[in-house]
Structures are given as C-alpha cells and as structure tokens.
Amino acid sequence: MPDREAFSAEVLSQQLMRLLAGMSGHGARQLDGIETDLAQMSILLDEAIRKLGASFLAIHGALGRQQAVLAALLEGKVSAAECAPVFEGIRGEIELHINAAVTGLQFEDMTSQLIDGMGRHLAELRDVFGAIQPVNAEAPGGAGCGETLVLLDCANRRLAELGPGGADGVQKPVAQRHMESGEIELFDACQLPPAAGCGA
C-alpha cells in the first residue's frame, strides 16, 4: 500500500509539474507577444508624432511665405507674372507636406491592429488559466489522489489542445516596425482613412 501511495504521489507530482510547465510556456509566449506589440506601437506612435509635427510646421512655413508674396503683390512690389511661379512652387510644397502628414496618420490603423493582436494574446492567456479552473475549483475540496490525477490530466489535455500559441503561432497584425518601411499600404492621400482598423 505505501508503494502504491508513493507511486500515486509521484504521478501526481509529475502531472502537476507538467501543468505548471505548460502554463509557464503558454503564458510566457503570450506575454512576450504583448510586450513586442507594445514596443512596436511605441515606435510607431513616436515616429507618427514626429512626422505629423514636422509636416504641420512645414505647412505653416509655406503658408507664411505664400502670405508674404501675396502681401508684396497687393502692395505692388512685384507683378502677377512674377508671383505665379512662386505660388505654384509653394502649392506643390504644401501638397507634399499634406501627403507626408496623411502618411503619418497611418499610425491610427496600425495601432488598432496591434491592439487587436494584444487582445488575442490576452484571450489565449485567459484560455490557459481556464484550462486549470477545474483543478482550482474541485481539488481543494478534499478530492483524493485519484480524483486529483484525473483533474490534472484533464487540465493538461485542455492545455495541449491550445497548441503552441504565442509569437510563433499567431500571425503578427502589423509586420512593419517603422512608418517608412513601406511593407503595408493602408491608404493614400486621395482616400479618407477607414472608419475601423483592418484588424477589426
């Protein structure tokens, strides 16, 4: 009898260690995915803010030059023929800066996709903890070694059904790490941004 109890305790210990190892592996992969997405989102937001700031300052400068040329024209200091190419050049410059600002606005769609990806990581993490719920709910109530083994085995099987998951098993919502990498094209200057992110 003691040998049988020792064997049951050993199997119980092995099952418990297997469960903890599975939870640790799944949890670590999902948390790594969330950490990666947060770091990527931080980079994208920083670049987008810098791009938008530079574009708006450049537009402000171009409009100031346009205003100065217009004032000189109204005061008769320059002719309309002289002003026309200057206005055309400033118009083209403003258009370029507006296009750059619109590109900077892509961060909204990319961060939405990253947030959706983090939501999937958290859902998988919730599934991992859900796999051990029967053990938490029933084992402390005085279940014997045999019943506890059955519960642990059930939890381990549910954990195995979740698959490897994590960064290797989940497609990244946004492949690029920088606004300028050009790996995805969300919208151009002639289109309004979509009402909802592509990951929605």
Side-chain angles (χ1 to χ4, degrees):
M1 190 72 172
D3 289 341
R4 185 175 178 182
E5 289 178 1
F7 174 76
S8 297
E10 183 181 345
V11 173
L12 181 62
S13 176
Q14 289 172 354
Q15 288 280 55
L16 186 56
M17 292 304 293
R18 180 179 159 207
L19 178 64
L20 292 174
M23 284 183 58
S24 176
H26 275 272
R29 284 190 293 269
Q30 300 307 325
L31 291 174
D32 283 347
I34 292 170
E35 188 177 57
T36 299
D37 288 346
L38 283 171
Q40 190 175 356
M41 190 162 59
S42 177
I43 291 168
L44 290 172
L45 286 173
D46 180 65
E47 291 186 6
I49 289 166
R50 284 190 289 107
K51 182 183 284 287
L52 288 170
S55 297
F56 290 139
L57 285 174
I59 290 169
H60 181 267
L63 289 174
R65 291 195 305 278
Q66 188 179 59
Q67 187 67 31
V69 174
L70 183 60
L73 176 63
L74 293 175
E75 291 171 8
K77 295 179 180 177
V78 292
S79 68
E82 293 174 300
C83 291
V86 176
F87 281 137
E88 184 62 24
I90 292 173
R91 185 195 67 76
E93 185 182 338
I94 289 172
E95 185 176 302
L96 285 175
H97 294 313
I98 289 174
N99 287 340
V102 170
T103 301
L105 290 173
Q106 290 182 355
F107 82 92
E108 187 277 332
D109 189 86
M110 287 186 280
T111 53
S112 292
Q113 293 177 54
L114 286 168
I115 289 168
D116 287 344
M118 285 185 274
R120 287 192 293 273
H121 283 299
L122 289 171
E124 288 219 11
L125 202 53
R126 190 177 298 113
D127 288 343
V128 169
F129 290 120
I132 63 162
Q133 189 172 4
V135 178
N136 289 337
E138 299 174 40
C145 190
E147 291 85 352
T148 304
L149 276 171
V150 171
L151 291 170
L152 282 171
D153 185 58
C154 176
N156 278 319
R157 277 187 278 120
R158 288 180 60 193
L159 199 56
E161 287 170 5
L162 295 176
D168 296 331
V170 178
Q171 183 180 359
K172 294 301 293 175
V174 177
Q176 69 192 78
R177 291 186 60 81
H178 301 282
M179 298 291 294
E180 289 83 8
S181 67
E183 292 176 21
I184 60 174
E185 184 176 330
L186 299 168
F187 54 89
D188 58 38
C190 299
Q191 299 174 320
L192 290 174
C198 296

